[in-house]
């Protein structure tokens, strides 16, 4: 009998297939004691397992490239954390086996993260995955992860670790569903990059039996368990029509009446560039530079290494616009040489631009490298600072850019409500704004982007968030400057129309979403987008806002 469930749709498309469940987590190893003379040997086993797991994560990242590479390299650093390893060694010295020492040390660290505020609590799933991989290697059992199957399937898991999501084979994994996660979690971002339909934050997903046929609508968040033939035919027809529309839509982003809305790509490094070019991206709206800094948490990469990496991306978009975000470290991306180790809540502490202003040499080197990378290239380079709170922040960043001799536009990201509220003030110092809707939602609603329990507050359709977007866009228009969106909100085709109606001047997203957004914009006039935006803002919830905009754009 057909049953309908609803989670949070995070990656467009429809997948229909049999359910396969993620492999179970590693069992807790026995708490047996070892003789003192075996401690050194066990410590050696623990170190070998940790290094092997770290190497495997880095290798997976190299294969995946781009955003996935940065995430997996961060996990490798987590595995090799010196304090964690010191705790493992202490436990083995007093009689634990290697596997039990690892298990207990990670459990202790897990408890610290879980109690350190919602932002760090979101790292628990990544930590559990690292622990499971190390313990599995020590026990000599198969790694937990994606099931083996010769036939395509829909994957269901409590949550998906980045190491699993990064290397999903779209030819086999038709789509996936998770019980945890949110619209801006690592898994959601990587799913969009892969172009795999996905639904997250679906309570009880794990109770769907292995082998059951389900249909996953990654746009609406609906799951149809054992769909009736009529429903399957409806979904398949809808998917086919959408595919045809995507194929027919080419060229620059624009509304049906010719209002231009440049569609740009979010990239994490050179590995993401080919997909962006293939999707017809008109440039890069968010070049995350963190991937370069995750190789070594104790020191920044050399100027030469940075120049080489930046130039590869800049060369791919001759005559195009490339917006680079300087290093955004801190919170869930700590770097030993840059971020404090003892902050009670790093998400509200020294992160982003604050870290760079505390370490001007790191910022100066990055800005100089960007200047050298762009030299002689016909590219429109723009550089922006993350986590700008006020005009003083914006001025400090612009001054640093000028001191480095950077021939580019300087901008500020709007990720903190204060920046949206005082956007006109900030625009006295910089030339453009870029809205990071992921963090802006997180700070507006005090809702961690990695915690499934508060995912409704991370929904970019929340009217309060739309109000802040509108305020920023209106401020930019009044100052004769641009205001783009580079957060995950831009990847939603319907919301992209609403953002356009709010006055946003460009949209940046994962490459896989560009054809969907281009097609949606091409169906509607700017006036329709403006009416949809007004209707969405007039509501009191994300669900009502979405329905109101849909009604306007569908002519209801």
């Amino acid at each position: 009998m057909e049953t309908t469930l609803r989670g949070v749709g995070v990656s467009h498309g429809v997948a229909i297939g049999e359910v396969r469940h993620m492999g179970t987590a590693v069992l807790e190893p026995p708490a047996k004691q070892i003789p003192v003379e075996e401690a050194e040997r066990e410590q050696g086993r623990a170190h070998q397992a940790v290094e092997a797991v770290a190497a495997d994560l880095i290798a997976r990242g190299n294969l995946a490239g781009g955003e996935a590479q940065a995430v997996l390299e961060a996990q490798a650093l987590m595995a090799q954390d010196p304090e964690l390893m010191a705790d493992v060694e202490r436990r083995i010295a007093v009689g634990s086996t290697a596997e039990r020492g690892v298990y207990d040390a990670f459990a202790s660290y897990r408890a610290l993260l879980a109690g350190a505020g919602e932002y760090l609590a979101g790292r628990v799933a990544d930590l559990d995955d690292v622990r499971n991989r190390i313990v599995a290697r020590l026990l000599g059992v198969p790694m937990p992860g994606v099931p083996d199957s010769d036939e395509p399937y829909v994957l269901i898991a409590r949550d998906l670790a980045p190491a699993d999501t990064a290397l999903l084979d779209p030819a086999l994994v038709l789509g996936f569903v998770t019980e945890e996660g949110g619209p801006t979690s690592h898994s959601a971002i990587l799913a969009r990059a892969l172009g795999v339909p996905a639904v997250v934050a679906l309570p009880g997903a794990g109770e769907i039996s292995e082998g059951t046929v389900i249909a996953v609508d990654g746009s609406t968040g609906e799951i149809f368990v054992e769909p009736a033939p009529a429903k399957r035919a409806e979904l398949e027809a809808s998917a086919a029509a959408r595919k045809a529309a995507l194929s027919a839509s080419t060229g620059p982003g624009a509304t049906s009446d010719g209002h231009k809305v440049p569609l740009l790509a979010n990239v994490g490094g050179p590995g993401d560039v080919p997909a962006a070019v293939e999707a017809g991206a008109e440039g890069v709206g968010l070049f995350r530079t963190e991937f370069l800094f995750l190789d070594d948490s104790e020191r920044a990469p050399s100027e030469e290494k940075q120049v080489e990496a930046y130039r590869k991306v800049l060369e791919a978009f001759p005559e195009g616009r490339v917006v680079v975000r300087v290093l955004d470290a801190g919170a869930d991306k700590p770097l030993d040489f840059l971020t404090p180790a003892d902050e009670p809540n790093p998400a509200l502490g020294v992160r982003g631009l604050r870290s760079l202003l505390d370490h001007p040499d790191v910022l100066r080197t990055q800005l100089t490298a960007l200047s050298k990378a762009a030299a002689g290239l016909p590219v429109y380079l723009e550089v922006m600072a993350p986590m700008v709170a006020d005009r003083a922040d914006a001025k400090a960043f612009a001054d640093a850019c000028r001191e480095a001799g950077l021939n580019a536009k300087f901008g500020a990201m709007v990720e903190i409500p204060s920046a949206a509220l005082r956007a006109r003030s900030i625009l006295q110092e910089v030339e453009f704004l870029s809205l990071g809707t992921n963090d802006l939602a997180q700070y507006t609603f005090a809702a961690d982007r990695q915690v499934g329990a508060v995912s409704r507050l991370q929904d970019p359709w929340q009217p309060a968030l739309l109000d802040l977007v509108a305020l920023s866009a209106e401020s930019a228009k009044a100052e004769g400057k641009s205001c783009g969106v580079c957060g995950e909100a831009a990847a939603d085709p319907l919301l992209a129309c609403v953002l356009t109606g709010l006055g946003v001047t460009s949209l940046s997203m994962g490459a896989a979403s560009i054809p969907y957004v281009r097609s949606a914009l091409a169906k509607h006039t700017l006036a329709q987008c403006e009416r949809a935006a007004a209707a969405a803002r007039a509501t009191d919830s994300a669900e009502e806002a979405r329905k109101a905009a849909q009604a306007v754009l569908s002519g209801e």
Side-chain angles (χ1 to χ4, degrees):
M1 179 178 178
E2 180 180 310
T3 305
T4 303
L5 307 173
R6 183 181 289 276
V8 178
V10 296
S11 185
H12 308 298
V14 173
I16 303 175
E18 291 188 1
V19 164
R20 295 287 182 272
H21 286 273
M22 178 69 78
T24 56
V26 176
L27 296 175
E28 181 178 346
K32 67 179 183 180
Q33 291 291 107
I34 61 168
V36 175
E37 58 269 21
E38 293 183 15
E40 187 174 344
R41 178 177 66 84
E42 290 295 291
Q43 288 171 343
R45 288 182 62 228
H47 276 282
Q48 288 176 358
V50 165
E51 292 304 319
V53 166
D56 178 63
L57 289 169
I58 290 171
R60 286 168 176 257
N62 289 336
L63 284 173
E67 180 76 32
Q69 184 171 8
V71 172
L72 292 173
E73 287 177 349
Q75 270 199 299
L77 289 175
M78 185 181 284
Q80 297 169 307
D81 183 273
E83 290 186 17
L84 256 177
M85 282 310 301
D87 192 17
V88 171
E89 289 181 349
R90 283 193 295 270
R91 293 173 186 275
I92 294 174
V94 295
S96 288
T97 60
E99 45 267 40
R100 187 70 206 192
V102 168
Y103 187 89
D104 289 342
F106 272 72
S108 178
Y109 193 46
R110 187 186 199 279
L112 288 175
L113 285 184
E118 287 187 350
Y119 204 94
L120 282 181
R123 306 275 66 77
V124 166
D126 290 358
L127 185 72
D128 286 348
D129 180 60
V130 172
R131 177 204 64 199
N132 290 347
R133 291 175 184 278
I134 297 171
V135 172
R137 184 169 289 275
L138 286 166
L139 291 174
V141 300
M143 292 283 178
V146 179
D148 291 328
S149 175
D150 294 329
E151 298 296 324
Y153 60 90
V154 176
L155 180 64
I156 290 184
R158 184 183 64 79
D159 200 357
L160 280 171
D164 296 315
T165 317
L167 295 183
L168 289 179
D169 182 354
L172 285 176
V173 182
L174 302 172
F176 67 74
V177 181
T178 66
E179 294 191 51
E180 298 292 332
T184 58
S185 65
H186 283 151
S187 293
I189 293 171
L190 294 176
R192 284 188 283 271
L194 288 167
V196 176
V199 172
V200 301
L202 180 68
E207 298 172 12
I208 302 175
S209 300
E210 186 92 1
T212 302
V213 174
I214 67 172
V216 178
D217 190 328
S219 300
T220 65
E222 291 176 305
I223 305 294
F224 303 95
V225 181
E226 296 184 338
K231 173 57 71 174
R232 288 190 65 157
E234 176 189 333
L235 290 169
E236 288 168 350
S238 175
R242 183 181 295 168
K243 185 175 181 180
L246 294 178
S247 299
S249 178
T250 58
T255 58
S256 61
D257 56 340
H259 175 72
K260 293 183 178 180
V261 187
L263 302 182
L264 313 171
N266 293 344
V267 304
D272 287 342
V273 168
V277 172
E278 184 179 351
E282 297 168 59
V284 172
L286 173 62
F287 178 11
R288 303 178 180 95
T289 56
E290 290 77 52
F291 80 101
L292 268 175
F293 291 78
L294 292 172
D295 287 342
D296 187 345
S297 69
E298 296 182 358
R299 63 183 61 84
S302 67
E303 181 183 300
E304 292 73 20
K305 182 176 181 180
Q306 292 188 52
V307 170
E308 181 183 1
Y310 301 151
R311 196 169 180 90
K312 287 179 182 177
V313 175
L314 297 177
E315 286 175 335
F317 295 95
E319 305 295 335
R321 177 186 179 199
V322 175
V323 184
V324 179
R325 180 179 70 189
V326 293
L327 176 61
D328 184 14
D332 63 336
K333 294 171 284 189
L335 293 171
D336 292 345
F337 68 89
L338 200 65
T339 49
D342 55 353
E343 288 187 306
N345 191 340
L348 300 179
V350 182
R351 64 166 296 198
L353 179 61
R354 298 167 187 175
S355 294
L356 293 173
L357 294 179
D358 280 351
H359 297 79
D361 54 322
V362 175
L363 177 58
R364 188 183 308 110
T365 298
Q366 184 170 27
L367 294 174
T368 301
L370 284 166
S371 180
K372 291 182 178 180
L377 294 180
V379 66
Y380 297 97
L381 176 63
E382 301 185 12
V383 182
M384 62 185 181
M387 303 301 294
V388 171
D390 56 16
R391 182 172 179 173
D393 278 351
K395 183 179 187 305
F397 177 66
D399 286 346
C401 290
R402 282 188 284 267
E403 288 170 9
L406 189 61
N407 182 24
K409 284 187 176 181
F410 318 142
M413 291 196 71
V414 177
E415 300 169 284
I416 304 173
S418 64
L421 294 168
R422 301 289 294 173
R424 289 197 71 170
S425 172
I426 288 172
L427 284 165
Q428 304 310 304
E429 305 294 343
V430 295
E431 298 172 81
F432 69 94
L433 299 177
S434 183
L435 287 143
T437 52
N438 307 350
D439 270 324
L440 185 57
Q442 174 169 256
Y443 290 120
T444 298
F445 297 102
D448 191 312
R449 55 192 283 190
Q450 300 292 336
V451 177
V454 293
S455 62
R456 77 172 186 86
L457 296 171
Q458 268 292 328
D459 192 325
W461 281 95
Q462 287 283 357
L465 187 66
L466 299 180
D467 288 343
L468 292 175
V469 173
L471 183 59
S472 301
E474 289 163 3
S475 297
K477 183 177 181 180
E479 295 295 329
K481 296 180 179 180
S482 63
C483 177
V485 170
C486 63
E488 293 301 312
D492 179 336
L494 180 61
L495 185 51
C497 295
V498 168
L499 294 173
T500 298
L502 292 174
V504 166
T505 55
S506 66
L507 298 166
S508 189
M509 65 210 76
S513 298
I514 290 175
Y516 291 93
V517 172
R518 182 192 292 120
S519 176
L521 285 172
K523 295 175 184 174
H524 306 290
T525 65
L526 176 59
Q528 287 175 313
C529 292
E530 290 172 339
R531 288 198 296 273
R537 290 182 68 191
T539 65
D540 293 312
S541 72
E543 184 175 358
E544 291 173 356
R546 187 182 290 106
K547 288 180 178 178
Q550 181 66 65
V552 171
L553 294 177
S554 61
E556 295 177 9

